[in-house]
């Protein structure tokens, strides 16, 4: 069973990856909608509502992980190392049941905002905590142990969740850059054909009705990819 382990100490790289993915979404949306008119593209841009029902499981996982990273914690928990573990079945259960989704996010919020009254006590180095969610509320488990005596309850991945997600984003951008270059070649060929046609029409006294219309040429994915390498 595939597990997703989110370590909240990695929220900096997590938020960075999420922001980069959103930029990649916009790049892909422009490049894949070149046949649409300006008005259609603007109308699509206005529609920012979240449609969880039509999300794939992977899209929903990205949606939930962003919510988890945005969860605040009590200031007294600053020493703690906190991991949140969810399986693909957990995500599926949350996606199919909005009440369970709310319960998971609220339970995590309650756990993280419970104060550690001994945080400034001498010798307190914080705790390693793991919050594991299953398919139902009854499957929830929480583990907590002193940081320096902690044994990992879950075998960590060779690469972290965010490292794997960043690698996937880079591959997606590489594919999008190839698509962009192919589109540029096609647009250039069409422009050359249009220029020849305009010259021919001008020679016989016909007006070129398309000469003032500039094509939408797209956005190169390398702009973002170069920032990630």
């Amino acid at each position: 069973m595939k597990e997703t382990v989110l370590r909240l100490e990695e929220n900096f790289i997590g938020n960075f990856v999420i922001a980069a993915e959103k930029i990649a979404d916009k790049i892909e949306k422009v490049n894949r909608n070149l046949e649409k008119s300006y008005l259609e593209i603007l109308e699509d841009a206005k529609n920012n509502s979240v449609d969880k029902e039509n999300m794939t499981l992977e899209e929903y996982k990205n949606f939930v992980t962003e919510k988890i990273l945005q969860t605040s914690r009590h200031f007294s928990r600053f020493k703690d190392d906190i991991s949140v573990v969810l399986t693909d079945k957990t995500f599926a259960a949350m996606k199919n049941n909005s009440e369970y989704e709310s319960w998971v996010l609220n339970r995590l919020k309650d756990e993280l905002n419970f104060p550690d009254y001994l945080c400034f006590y001498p010798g307190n180095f914080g705790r390693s905590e793991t919050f594991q969610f299953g398919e139902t509320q009854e499957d929830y488990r929480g583990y907590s142990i002193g940081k320096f005596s902690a044994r990992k309850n879950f075998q960590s991945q060779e690469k972290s969740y965010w490292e794997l997600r960043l690698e996937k984003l880079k591959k997606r951008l590489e594919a999008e850059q190839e698509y962009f270059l192919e589109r540029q070649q096609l647009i250039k060929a069409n422009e050359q054909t249009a220029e020849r046609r305009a010259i021919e029409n001008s020679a016989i006294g016909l007006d070129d009705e398309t000469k003032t219309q500039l094509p939408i040429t797209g956005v190169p994915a390398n702009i973002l990819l170069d920032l990630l390498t």
Side-chain angles (χ1 to χ4, degrees), residues 10-225:
E10 299 172 343
N11 65 337
F12 178 79
I13 184 175
N15 285 316
F16 172 76
V17 173
I18 288 171
E21 286 175 340
K22 289 183 176 180
I23 296 173
D25 288 341
K26 292 180 179 179
I27 291 174
E28 186 171 317
K29 190 171 184 180
V30 170
N31 291 340
R32 303 286 167 163
N33 289 281
L34 292 178
E35 303 302 327
K36 290 188 175 183
S37 68
Y38 283 107
L39 290 178
E40 288 173 322
I41 292 174
L42 289 174
E43 187 63 30
D44 288 344
K46 294 177 184 177
N47 185 16
N48 293 320
S49 59
V50 177
D51 185 5
K52 292 184 285 187
E53 290 185 2
N54 292 323
M55 285 182 180
T56 64
L57 183 60
E58 196 64 28
E59 290 171 337
Y60 181 74
K61 287 169 67 174
N62 294 346
F63 170 77
V64 171
T65 53
E66 182 175 5
K67 291 286 187 183
I68 290 175
L69 284 186
Q70 292 172 349
T71 305
S72 62
R73 71 169 83 177
H74 194 271
F75 73 90
S76 63
R77 309 290 294 277
F78 71 96
K79 295 179 181 179
D80 297 342
D81 293 336
I82 298 172
S83 297
V84 182
V85 181
L86 309 98
T87 67
D88 280 357
K89 289 185 177 180
T90 307
F91 286 111
M94 294 172 67
K95 182 176 184 295
N96 295 326
N97 187 340
S98 59
E99 290 184 2
Y100 184 55
E101 175 192 278
S102 297
W103 183 87
V104 170
L105 296 176
N106 287 331
R107 181 59 188 257
L108 182 61
K109 182 179 179 180
D110 291 342
E111 294 282 9
L112 294 179
N113 281 280
F114 190 83
D116 178 6
Y117 296 105
L118 300 177
C119 66
F120 297 111
Y121 191 81
N124 182 355
F125 298 101
R127 305 185 68 79
S128 290
E129 296 189 88
T130 300
F131 304 122
Q132 182 182 22
F133 295 93
E135 298 176 63
T136 66
Q137 297 182 21
E138 290 72 23
D139 295 328
Y140 170 73
R141 299 290 184 273
Y143 306 89
S144 179
I145 192 169
K147 190 183 293 186
F148 284 95
S149 60
R151 291 181 176 272
K152 291 185 179 179
N153 293 302
F154 303 93
Q155 185 176 0
S156 61
Q157 301 167 335
E158 292 183 3
K159 294 182 179 179
S160 74
Y161 171 78
W162 293 113
E163 288 173 326
L164 294 172
R165 191 158 154 180
L166 183 58
E167 287 182 358
K168 185 175 181 180
L169 173 60
K170 289 179 180 179
K171 291 179 181 178
R172 174 186 169 192
L173 288 170
E174 289 169 357
E176 189 59 32
Q177 178 65 13
E178 291 182 9
Y179 178 84
F180 168 80
L181 293 175
E182 290 175 358
R183 288 288 305 180
Q184 296 309 298
Q185 292 176 353
L186 179 60
I187 289 172
K188 186 176 181 179
N190 290 340
E191 287 176 341
Q192 290 173 344
T193 300
E195 287 176 2
R196 288 197 299 269
R197 187 173 300 164
I199 293 173
E200 293 170 357
N201 289 341
S202 178
I204 59 177
L206 296 177
D207 291 332
D208 182 9
E209 297 179 354
T210 63
K211 63 183 179 181
T212 59
Q213 297 180 10
L214 298 177
I216 303 174
T217 57
V219 181
N222 268 354
I223 290 178
L224 178 58
L225 187 59

